[in-house]
């Protein structure tokens, strides 16, 4: 069972009408944002119980729950086939993570991908962070809106995305084009490597285009969530520019 | 005295010829990267001592030092007057942080600012993270190259930057222009607010231009280090485009 904790994640889960089994509020906790959670829970017929703070500490695995813990939801992960199915193939952007291990980074990337307009995220089952409470917190509510699918084999997932018509872009320092020069074809799948390791050899070979971020200074890489922000918001900017008309899109893309 | 720990931060400190008093290596620690540190330290005449791991744990304040801790350096912060002085006024980009409190975020922003080509960073003395060991680690070596200056009053610092000819851009969700539409005048000072709070009222009033990042989805903000990546790399992209010639810069900027 997934445990959500903290005012923001629980409020977002309620707003997104995510199925919750129960909400626990620490005895003595209050304030307008807590009251809003209690009101939303009542309207959604989610039972609210007031419990000693220690009970919430144990459930949340820490004392950083701000007085509220939610228990839910049946399934944290979306079905891969559903995500790439014809119905969802209209998604312009899927973000694929090749082994991001730090839960704060995973959460920040989920938040960033949602804000850049991604329709789904694909993560591997092994050697990677899964969707935990820490991830949900770092995602600041975005986990409620961005479907995450977990696959046993990233390379096979990329093959299936290609078959569905996705163009696979990988971020890699050996990229032949810079991220702002690439001509982003839609639908796009963007593959990002893990912390300090970049893309795995096999994953890199499955990419249609490798792009790199040109760096000033003496450090060769960015934090993976910062790199995600740089490339995904460039993708967003370019899609917006293209929507404004072909002439502009051409000058912007080829500038 | 500043304590640096971890293979990457210590190696970068040596490469940057930062004055170090001494390097402690855990007994039994080894490997080619550790050997490289020991060799560089010997060439730089920095004493190396082999100590029990527990001694390093105590100095570093945790066990995550990867077997190496460096003690240095006289002064962690650059002088504000020196940074904005005529000699340094040629710096095209200064990043100003208005109250970033999380050391991981501060470190990631230092790394990002350096990689985007910033020449210096200004942080406030109070209600903000200072440069600690955690920050140095998250900065992945960039702290060795990016001068950080700490000021008692951010608003006064912005006034002085204006007097020196800097144009002050603030990132704020109430911004009238989007970050990719603004016409970045050089030299630029970019002001970023703290986690979840944005810019302080007075700081906002000191900005010449407020820019915002347009967001898709239902979440209203990005992690501050991700937001820094988005805007600072757009600044870098635009400066590079401008260097390629006026025609291109015009279409890109006004697109």
């Amino acid at each position: 069972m997934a445990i959500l904790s903290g005012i923001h994640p629980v409020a977002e889960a309620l707003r997104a009408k995510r199925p919750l089994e129960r909400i626990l509020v620490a005895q003595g906790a209050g304030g307008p944002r807590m009251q809003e959670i209690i009101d939303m829970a009542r309207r959604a017929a989610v039972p609210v119980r007031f419990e000693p703070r220690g009970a919430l500490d144990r459930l949340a695995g820490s004392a950083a729950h701000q007085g509220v813990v939610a228990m839910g939801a049946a399934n944290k992960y979306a079905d891969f086939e559903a995500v790439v199915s014809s119905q969802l193939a209209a998604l312009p952007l899927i973000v694929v993570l090749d082994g991001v291990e730090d839960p704060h980074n995973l959460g920040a990337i989920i938040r960033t991908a949602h804000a850049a307009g991604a329709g789904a995220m694909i993560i591997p089952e092994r050697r990677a962070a899964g969707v935990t409470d820490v991830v949900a917190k770092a995602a600041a509510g975005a986990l409620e809106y961005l479907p995450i699918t977990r696959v046993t084999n990233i390379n096979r997932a990329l093959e299936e995305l290609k078959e569905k018509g996705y163009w696979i872009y990988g971020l890699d320092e050996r990229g032949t084009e810079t991220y702002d020069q690439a001509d982003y074809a839609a639908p796009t799948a963007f593959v990002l490597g893990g912390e300090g390791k970049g893309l795995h050899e096999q994953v890199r070979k499955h990419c249609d285009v490798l792009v790199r971020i040109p760096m000033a200074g003496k450090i060769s890489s960015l934090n993976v969530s910062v790199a995600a922000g740089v490339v995904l918001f460039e993708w967003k900017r370019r899609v917006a520019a293209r929507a404004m008309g072909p002439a502009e899109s051409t000058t912007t893309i080829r500038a």
Side-chain angles (χ1 to χ4, degrees), chain A:
Chain A
M1 188 189 312
I3 302 291
L4 278 175
S5 72
I7 284 174
H8 199 81
V10 173
E12 285 296 336
L14 284 162
R15 255 177 230 122
K17 307 203 187 308
R18 177 165 161 180
L20 296 177
E21 195 176 297
R22 176 185 315 160
I23 289 174
L24 305 187
V25 174
Q27 285 163 1
R33 297 177 69 200
M34 188 67 82
Q35 191 56 50
E36 192 191 354
I37 284 176
I38 294 167
D39 293 344
M40 284 194 291
R42 289 201 168 135
R43 282 197 298 274
V46 176
V48 176
R49 287 199 197 161
F50 296 84
E51 303 260 3
R53 201 164 272 269
L56 278 77
D57 292 354
R58 279 190 299 279
L59 259 175
S62 90
H65 47 64
Q66 301 174 299
V68 61
V69 172
M71 298 158 76
N75 189 3
K76 291 187 292 185
Y77 297 105
D79 180 62
F80 177 76
E81 290 304 325
V83 163
V84 296
S85 75
S86 56
Q87 193 199 338
L88 287 164
L91 293 175
L93 177 62
I94 288 183
V95 177
V96 182
L97 300 185
D98 178 22
V100 168
E101 293 179 3
D102 180 287
H104 292 99
N105 280 338
L106 176 57
I109 297 172
I110 291 169
R111 182 176 177 182
T112 303
H114 176 64
M121 184 177 285
I122 296 174
I123 63 175
E125 271 180 19
R126 277 174 294 183
R127 295 197 198 91
V131 172
T132 62
D133 195 37
V134 173
V135 173
K137 271 198 162 174
L143 199 52
E144 301 305 321
Y145 304 107
L146 186 72
I148 315 282
T149 174
R150 220 156 55 144
V151 297
T152 50
N153 188 321
I154 286 285
N155 295 313
R156 205 181 308 142
L158 294 178
E159 284 303 318
E160 291 192 47
L161 287 171
K162 277 187 196 180
E163 281 167 27
K164 303 280 185 190
Y166 282 84
W167 202 253
I168 316 291
Y169 290 83
L171 182 63
D172 191 280
E173 59 186 32
R174 282 161 289 188
T176 45
E177 296 181 63
T178 63
Y179 77 104
D180 59 322
Q181 287 174 320
D183 188 359
Y184 292 110
T188 300
F190 225 121
V191 193
L192 304 169
E195 295 90 353
K197 297 189 308 279
L199 299 178
H200 286 101
E201 180 71 13
Q202 280 302 314
V203 170
R204 203 165 59 237
K205 287 182 181 161
H206 277 82
C207 293
D208 294 307
V209 183
L210 292 177
V211 299
R212 65 188 164 80
I213 302 176
M215 308 273 283
K218 313 245 185 183
I219 306 297
S220 62
S221 69
L222 294 171
N223 170 287
V224 62
S225 66
V226 174
V230 172
V231 297
L232 299 180
F233 272 80
E234 174 65 8
W235 175 88
K236 179 178 190 295
R237 200 182 68 75
R238 296 274 290 284
V239 169
R242 192 145 41 195
M244 287 165 69
E248 254 172 20
S249 118
T250 309
T251 42
T252 311
I253 289 170
R254 296 301 178 196

